[in-house]
mmCIF file of all heavy atoms in Angstrom:
data_model
loop_
_atom_site.group_PDB
_atom_site.id
_atom_site.type_symbol
_atom_site.label_atom_id
_atom_site.label_comp_id
_atom_site.label_asym_id
_atom_site.label_seq_id
_atom_site.Cartn_x
_atom_site.Cartn_y
_atom_site.Cartn_z
ATOM 1 N N ASP Q 1 -8.031 20.397 14.927
ATOM 2 C CA ASP Q 1 -7.367 19.224 15.496
ATOM 3 C C ASP Q 1 -8.105 17.970 15.058
ATOM 4 O O ASP Q 1 -9.286 17.794 15.385
ATOM 5 C CB ASP Q 1 -7.359 19.327 17.029
ATOM 6 C CG ASP Q 1 -6.803 18.069 17.674
ATOM 7 O OD1 ASP Q 1 -5.764 17.568 17.200
ATOM 8 O OD2 ASP Q 1 -7.413 17.590 18.638
ATOM 9 N N ILE Q 2 -7.427 17.104 14.304
ATOM 10 C CA ILE Q 2 -8.028 15.848 13.853
ATOM 11 C C ILE Q 2 -7.644 14.756 14.848
ATOM 12 O O ILE Q 2 -6.469 14.412 14.980
ATOM 13 C CB ILE Q 2 -7.579 15.502 12.424
ATOM 14 C CG1 ILE Q 2 -8.010 16.629 11.469
ATOM 15 C CG2 ILE Q 2 -8.168 14.163 11.978
ATOM 16 C CD1 ILE Q 2 -7.496 16.481 10.070
ATOM 17 N N GLU Q 3 -8.643 14.240 15.553
ATOM 18 C CA GLU Q 3 -8.425 13.279 16.637
ATOM 19 C C GLU Q 3 -8.644 11.846 16.150
ATOM 20 O O GLU Q 3 -9.725 11.520 15.640
ATOM 21 C CB GLU Q 3 -9.405 13.564 17.777
ATOM 22 C CG GLU Q 3 -9.087 14.803 18.576
ATOM 23 C CD GLU Q 3 -8.044 14.533 19.645
ATOM 24 O OE1 GLU Q 3 -8.186 13.575 20.403
ATOM 25 O OE2 GLU Q 3 -7.085 15.303 19.701
ATOM 26 N N VAL Q 4 -7.626 11.023 16.301
ATOM 27 C CA VAL Q 4 -7.734 9.593 16.011
ATOM 28 C C VAL Q 4 -7.041 8.845 17.155
ATOM 29 O O VAL Q 4 -5.913 9.192 17.511
ATOM 30 C CB VAL Q 4 -7.068 9.232 14.661
ATOM 31 C CG1 VAL Q 4 -7.146 7.732 14.404
ATOM 32 C CG2 VAL Q 4 -7.717 9.996 13.507
ATOM 33 N N PRO Q 5 -7.697 7.838 17.752
ATOM 34 C CA PRO Q 5 -7.076 7.109 18.867
ATOM 35 C C PRO Q 5 -5.750 6.457 18.456
ATOM 36 O O PRO Q 5 -5.574 6.039 17.307
ATOM 37 C CB PRO Q 5 -8.119 6.036 19.214
ATOM 38 C CG PRO Q 5 -9.406 6.551 18.672
ATOM 39 C CD PRO Q 5 -9.058 7.349 17.460
ATOM 40 N N ASP Q 6 -4.841 6.351 19.419
ATOM 41 C CA ASP Q 6 -3.516 5.791 19.145
ATOM 42 C C ASP Q 6 -3.581 4.390 18.545
ATOM 43 O O ASP Q 6 -2.803 4.057 17.654
ATOM 44 C CB ASP Q 6 -2.683 5.737 20.430
ATOM 45 C CG ASP Q 6 -2.117 7.093 20.816
ATOM 46 O OD1 ASP Q 6 -2.472 8.089 20.148
ATOM 47 O OD2 ASP Q 6 -1.324 7.164 21.769
ATOM 48 N N ASP Q 7 -4.499 3.555 19.043
ATOM 49 C CA ASP Q 7 -4.541 2.179 18.533
ATOM 50 C C ASP Q 7 -4.926 2.140 17.060
ATOM 51 O O ASP Q 7 -4.410 1.323 16.289
ATOM 52 C CB ASP Q 7 -5.489 1.307 19.372
ATOM 53 C CG ASP Q 7 -6.915 1.824 19.413
ATOM 54 O OD1 ASP Q 7 -7.143 3.015 19.123
ATOM 55 O OD2 ASP Q 7 -7.818 1.033 19.746
ATOM 56 N N LYS Q 8 -5.805 3.056 16.649
ATOM 57 C CA LYS Q 8 -6.192 3.107 15.229
ATOM 58 C C LYS Q 8 -5.040 3.628 14.372
ATOM 59 O O LYS Q 8 -4.819 3.149 13.258
ATOM 60 C CB LYS Q 8 -7.438 3.984 15.041
ATOM 61 C CG LYS Q 8 -8.707 3.332 15.546
ATOM 62 C CD LYS Q 8 -9.939 4.072 15.083
ATOM 63 C CE LYS Q 8 -11.207 3.349 15.513
ATOM 64 N NZ LYS Q 8 -12.432 4.040 15.054
ATOM 65 N N ILE Q 9 -4.329 4.622 14.882
ATOM 66 C CA ILE Q 9 -3.172 5.144 14.154
ATOM 67 C C ILE Q 9 -2.121 4.056 13.987
ATOM 68 O O ILE Q 9 -1.562 3.864 12.886
ATOM 69 C CB ILE Q 9 -2.576 6.366 14.881
ATOM 70 C CG1 ILE Q 9 -3.486 7.579 14.689
ATOM 71 C CG2 ILE Q 9 -1.160 6.682 14.359
ATOM 72 C CD1 ILE Q 9 -3.062 8.812 15.434
ATOM 73 N N THR Q 10 -1.856 3.324 15.064
ATOM 74 C CA THR Q 10 -0.858 2.246 14.997
ATOM 75 C C THR Q 10 -1.270 1.204 13.975
ATOM 76 O O THR Q 10 -0.446 0.722 13.178
ATOM 77 C CB THR Q 10 -0.683 1.598 16.383
ATOM 78 O OG1 THR Q 10 -0.285 2.605 17.318
ATOM 79 C CG2 THR Q 10 0.377 0.509 16.350
ATOM 80 N N SER Q 11 -2.562 0.862 13.960
ATOM 81 C CA SER Q 11 -3.064 -0.114 12.987
ATOM 82 C C SER Q 11 -2.929 0.404 11.557
ATOM 83 O O SER Q 11 -2.492 -0.315 10.660
ATOM 84 C CB SER Q 11 -4.525 -0.439 13.290
ATOM 85 O OG SER Q 11 -5.085 -1.258 12.297
ATOM 86 N N ARG Q 12 -3.273 1.675 11.366
ATOM 87 C CA ARG Q 12 -3.173 2.290 10.031
ATOM 88 C C ARG Q 12 -1.737 2.266 9.517
ATOM 89 O O ARG Q 12 -1.467 1.860 8.393
ATOM 90 C CB ARG Q 12 -3.633 3.754 10.085
ATOM 91 C CG ARG Q 12 -5.106 3.995 10.048
ATOM 92 C CD ARG Q 12 -5.361 5.495 10.023
ATOM 93 N NE ARG Q 12 -6.758 5.824 10.206
ATOM 94 C CZ ARG Q 12 -7.226 7.064 10.244
ATOM 95 N NH1 ARG Q 12 -6.392 8.090 10.120
ATOM 96 N NH2 ARG Q 12 -8.503 7.297 10.413
ATOM 97 N N LEU Q 13 -0.825 2.744 10.357
ATOM 98 C CA LEU Q 13 0.554 2.916 9.904
ATOM 99 C C LEU Q 13 1.316 1.597 9.839
ATOM 100 O O LEU Q 13 2.012 1.317 8.860
ATOM 101 C CB LEU Q 13 1.293 3.906 10.810
ATOM 102 C CG LEU Q 13 0.754 5.343 10.817
ATOM 103 C CD1 LEU Q 13 1.656 6.237 11.655
ATOM 104 C CD2 LEU Q 13 0.638 5.904 9.408
ATOM 105 N N SER Q 14 1.185 0.777 10.885
ATOM 106 C CA SER Q 14 1.978 -0.462 10.904
ATOM 107 C C SER Q 14 1.443 -1.479 9.906
ATOM 108 O O SER Q 14 2.138 -2.442 9.563
ATOM 109 C CB SER Q 14 2.016 -1.058 12.310
ATOM 110 O OG SER Q 14 0.721 -1.405 12.743
ATOM 111 N N GLY Q 15 0.214 -1.258 9.413
ATOM 112 C CA GLY Q 15 -0.348 -2.157 8.400
ATOM 113 C C GLY Q 15 0.008 -1.786 6.973
ATOM 114 O O GLY Q 15 -0.316 -2.517 6.033
ATOM 115 N N ARG Q 16 0.672 -0.668 6.775
ATOM 116 C CA ARG Q 16 1.034 -0.247 5.413
ATOM 117 C C ARG Q 16 2.162 -1.115 4.862
ATOM 118 O O ARG Q 16 3.083 -1.489 5.588
ATOM 119 C CB ARG Q 16 1.475 1.218 5.393
ATOM 120 C CG ARG Q 16 0.325 2.182 5.578
ATOM 121 C CD ARG Q 16 0.652 3.594 5.181
ATOM 122 N NE ARG Q 16 1.761 4.184 5.910
ATOM 123 C CZ ARG Q 16 1.928 5.503 6.080
ATOM 124 N NH1 ARG Q 16 1.036 6.338 5.574
ATOM 125 N NH2 ARG Q 16 2.957 5.967 6.741
ATOM 126 N N ARG Q 17 2.093 -1.387 3.570
ATOM 127 C CA ARG Q 17 3.155 -2.082 2.874
ATOM 128 C C ARG Q 17 3.423 -1.347 1.561
ATOM 129 O O ARG Q 17 2.479 -0.880 0.907
ATOM 130 C CB ARG Q 17 2.777 -3.543 2.574
ATOM 131 C CG ARG Q 17 2.512 -4.393 3.818
ATOM 132 C CD ARG Q 17 3.769 -4.616 4.648
ATOM 133 N NE ARG Q 17 3.528 -5.507 5.787
ATOM 134 C CZ ARG Q 17 3.156 -5.091 6.985
ATOM 135 N NH1 ARG Q 17 2.947 -3.795 7.212
ATOM 136 N NH2 ARG Q 17 2.984 -5.965 7.974
ATOM 137 N N VAL Q 18 4.680 -1.267 1.194
ATOM 138 C CA VAL Q 18 5.069 -0.521 -0.008
ATOM 139 C C VAL Q 18 5.860 -1.441 -0.927
ATOM 140 O O VAL Q 18 6.697 -2.231 -0.470
ATOM 141 C CB VAL Q 18 5.928 0.709 0.383
ATOM 142 C CG1 VAL Q 18 6.374 1.462 -0.863
ATOM 143 C CG2 VAL Q 18 5.151 1.638 1.297
ATOM 144 N N CYS Q 19 5.604 -1.324 -2.227
ATOM 145 C CA CYS Q 19 6.327 -2.146 -3.197
ATOM 146 C C CYS Q 19 7.782 -1.682 -3.279
ATOM 147 O O CYS Q 19 8.057 -0.491 -3.472
ATOM 148 C CB CYS Q 19 5.683 -2.064 -4.576
ATOM 149 S SG CYS Q 19 6.586 -2.999 -5.831
ATOM 150 N N SER Q 20 8.688 -2.653 -3.149
ATOM 151 C CA SER Q 20 10.119 -2.325 -3.179
ATOM 152 C C SER Q 20 10.598 -1.937 -4.566
ATOM 153 O O SER Q 20 11.668 -1.351 -4.722
ATOM 154 C CB SER Q 20 10.941 -3.520 -2.675
ATOM 155 O OG SER Q 20 10.644 -4.680 -3.431
ATOM 156 N N LYS Q 21 9.772 -2.215 -5.599
ATOM 157 C CA LYS Q 21 10.170 -1.875 -6.975
ATOM 158 C C LYS Q 21 9.526 -0.573 -7.460
ATOM 159 O O LYS Q 21 10.205 0.365 -7.844
ATOM 160 C CB LYS Q 21 9.788 -3.015 -7.939
ATOM 161 C CG LYS Q 21 10.705 -4.222 -7.894
ATOM 162 C CD LYS Q 21 10.316 -5.194 -9.014
ATOM 163 C CE LYS Q 21 11.227 -6.424 -9.000
ATOM 164 N NZ LYS Q 21 10.807 -7.379 -10.057
ATOM 165 N N CYS Q 22 8.180 -0.534 -7.435
ATOM 166 C CA CYS Q 22 7.491 0.619 -8.046
ATOM 167 C C CYS Q 22 6.965 1.630 -7.029
ATOM 168 O O CYS Q 22 6.528 2.722 -7.403
ATOM 169 C CB CYS Q 22 6.352 0.152 -8.947
ATOM 170 S SG CYS Q 22 4.925 -0.547 -8.059
ATOM 171 N N GLY Q 23 6.962 1.267 -5.739
ATOM 172 C CA GLY Q 23 6.534 2.219 -4.711
ATOM 173 C C GLY Q 23 5.041 2.256 -4.447
ATOM 174 O O GLY Q 23 4.576 3.040 -3.618
ATOM 175 N N ASN Q 24 4.248 1.422 -5.140
ATOM 176 C CA ASN Q 24 2.804 1.390 -4.883
ATOM 177 C C ASN Q 24 2.535 1.004 -3.431
ATOM 178 O O ASN Q 24 3.264 0.215 -2.843
ATOM 179 C CB ASN Q 24 2.119 0.381 -5.806
ATOM 180 C CG ASN Q 24 1.770 0.995 -7.158
ATOM 181 O OD1 ASN Q 24 2.017 2.160 -7.391
ATOM 182 N ND2 ASN Q 24 1.208 0.185 -8.046
ATOM 183 N N SER Q 25 1.463 1.580 -2.883
ATOM 184 C CA SER Q 25 1.173 1.400 -1.465
ATOM 185 C C SER Q 25 -0.039 0.494 -1.254
ATOM 186 O O SER Q 25 -1.026 0.573 -2.001
ATOM 187 C CB SER Q 25 0.931 2.768 -0.828
ATOM 188 O OG SER Q 25 0.731 2.641 0.556
ATOM 189 N N TYR Q 26 0.046 -0.350 -0.236
ATOM 190 C CA TYR Q 26 -1.035 -1.269 0.120
ATOM 191 C C TYR Q 26 -1.236 -1.233 1.632
ATOM 192 O O TYR Q 26 -0.493 -0.574 2.354
ATOM 193 C CB TYR Q 26 -0.689 -2.701 -0.317
ATOM 194 C CG TYR Q 26 -0.523 -2.856 -1.808
ATOM 195 C CD1 TYR Q 26 0.701 -2.583 -2.413
ATOM 196 C CD2 TYR Q 26 -1.584 -3.259 -2.615
ATOM 197 C CE1 TYR Q 26 0.861 -2.701 -3.787
ATOM 198 C CE2 TYR Q 26 -1.438 -3.390 -3.989
ATOM 199 C CZ TYR Q 26 -0.217 -3.110 -4.572
ATOM 200 O OH TYR Q 26 -0.064 -3.228 -5.929
ATOM 201 N N HIS Q 27 -2.261 -1.977 2.093
ATOM 202 C CA HIS Q 27 -2.496 -2.103 3.532
ATOM 203 C C HIS Q 27 -3.019 -3.504 3.813
ATOM 204 O O HIS Q 27 -3.867 -4.015 3.053
ATOM 205 C CB HIS Q 27 -3.498 -1.057 4.021
ATOM 206 C CG HIS Q 27 -3.507 -0.878 5.503
ATOM 207 N ND1 HIS Q 27 -4.140 -1.763 6.352
ATOM 208 C CD2 HIS Q 27 -2.934 0.065 6.295
ATOM 209 C CE1 HIS Q 27 -3.971 -1.364 7.605
ATOM 210 N NE2 HIS Q 27 -3.244 -0.271 7.591
ATOM 211 N N ILE Q 28 -2.530 -4.102 4.891
ATOM 212 C CA ILE Q 28 -2.895 -5.490 5.169
ATOM 213 C C ILE Q 28 -4.376 -5.651 5.540
ATOM 214 O O ILE Q 28 -4.911 -6.756 5.481
ATOM 215 C CB ILE Q 28 -2.008 -6.099 6.284
ATOM 216 C CG1 ILE Q 28 -2.146 -5.315 7.594
ATOM 217 C CG2 ILE Q 28 -0.552 -6.161 5.848
ATOM 218 C CD1 ILE Q 28 -1.407 -5.951 8.772
ATOM 219 N N LEU Q 29 -5.049 -4.532 5.902
ATOM 220 C CA LEU Q 29 -6.474 -4.595 6.226
ATOM 221 C C LEU Q 29 -7.346 -3.883 5.199
ATOM 222 O O LEU Q 29 -8.396 -4.382 4.805
ATOM 223 C CB LEU Q 29 -6.740 -3.974 7.607
ATOM 224 C CG LEU Q 29 -6.119 -4.669 8.819
ATOM 225 C CD1 LEU Q 29 -6.429 -3.880 10.074
ATOM 226 C CD2 LEU Q 29 -6.635 -6.098 8.946
ATOM 227 N N TYR Q 30 -6.915 -2.690 4.771
ATOM 228 C CA TYR Q 30 -7.792 -1.818 3.984
ATOM 229 C C TYR Q 30 -7.537 -1.845 2.476
ATOM 230 O O TYR Q 30 -8.405 -1.478 1.700
ATOM 231 C CB TYR Q 30 -7.662 -0.364 4.481
ATOM 232 C CG TYR Q 30 -7.853 -0.225 5.956
ATOM 233 C CD1 TYR Q 30 -6.839 0.267 6.776
ATOM 234 C CD2 TYR Q 30 -9.053 -0.600 6.564
ATOM 235 C CE1 TYR Q 30 -7.009 0.384 8.153
ATOM 236 C CE2 TYR Q 30 -9.233 -0.479 7.928
ATOM 237 C CZ TYR Q 30 -8.210 0.006 8.724
ATOM 238 O OH TYR Q 30 -8.383 0.123 10.072
#
């Protein structure tokens, strides 16, 4: 079981951004 607090998961996922053309992935923090 890999435990990560909900607030960190929300930050990880909601901070993701994806290129609408090529699909490359970014993050507003990391």
Side-chain angles (χ1 to χ4, degrees):
D1 174 45
I2 300 174
E3 287 277 310
V4 178
D6 282 6
D7 58 341
K8 287 192 176 181
I9 286 176
T10 302
S11 174
R12 279 183 189 179
L13 296 185
S14 62
R16 287 196 301 205
R17 299 293 184 270
V18 178
C19 177
S20 56
K21 283 187 180 178
C22 71
N24 275 359
S25 184
Y26 298 85
H27 196 282
I28 60 174
L29 296 177
Y30 308 119

